[in-house]
Amino acid sequence: MDALDITIAFSTTAVILAQSFVALPFLVVSLEGTLRSVGQRYELVAATLGARPSTVLRRITLPLVLPGLASAAMLSFARALGEFGATIT
């Protein structure tokens, strides 16, 4: 990285990368559980009735997973905040 004159250590970029690395698995696992519990029935019915994929995503999938997405985002934010405290220390 020195050859390209890129320094990440002890910078804001390093802190953001560290927080993302620690918190993103919480978001992914929580959102995966939400998507598995919702299932595919509604999406398949909408596709059968002729809805475009973007319409299915916007009008069916996102409203169904929005509570799970919000809780996953809060969980990952809380984890990142805890990691930030450890980083500052």
Side-chain angles (χ1 to χ4, degrees):
M1 301 284 280
D2 287 336
L4 299 174
D5 196 33
I6 298 174
T7 54
I8 294 179
F10 304 108
S11 67
T12 304
T13 304
V15 172
I16 292 170
L17 287 172
Q19 308 316 315
S20 300
F21 182 77
V22 168
L24 200 58
F26 288 88
L27 179 77
V28 170
V29 169
S30 298
L31 192 57
E32 180 188 10
T34 300
L35 287 169
R36 285 185 189 267
S37 68
V38 168
Q40 295 178 343
R41 291 171 296 178
Y42 297 116
E43 288 94 347
L44 291 175
V45 170
T48 302
L49 293 173
R52 294 188 323 243
S54 61
T55 303
V56 171
L57 177 68
R58 188 180 74 247
R59 302 213 40 197
I60 295 171
T61 306
L62 285 180
L64 284 174
V65 300
L66 195 60
L69 180 62
S71 66
M74 293 305 284
L75 178 67
S76 63
F77 174 75
R79 182 63 185 108
L81 196 60
E83 185 66 23
F84 183 69
T87 303
I88 286 180
T89 302

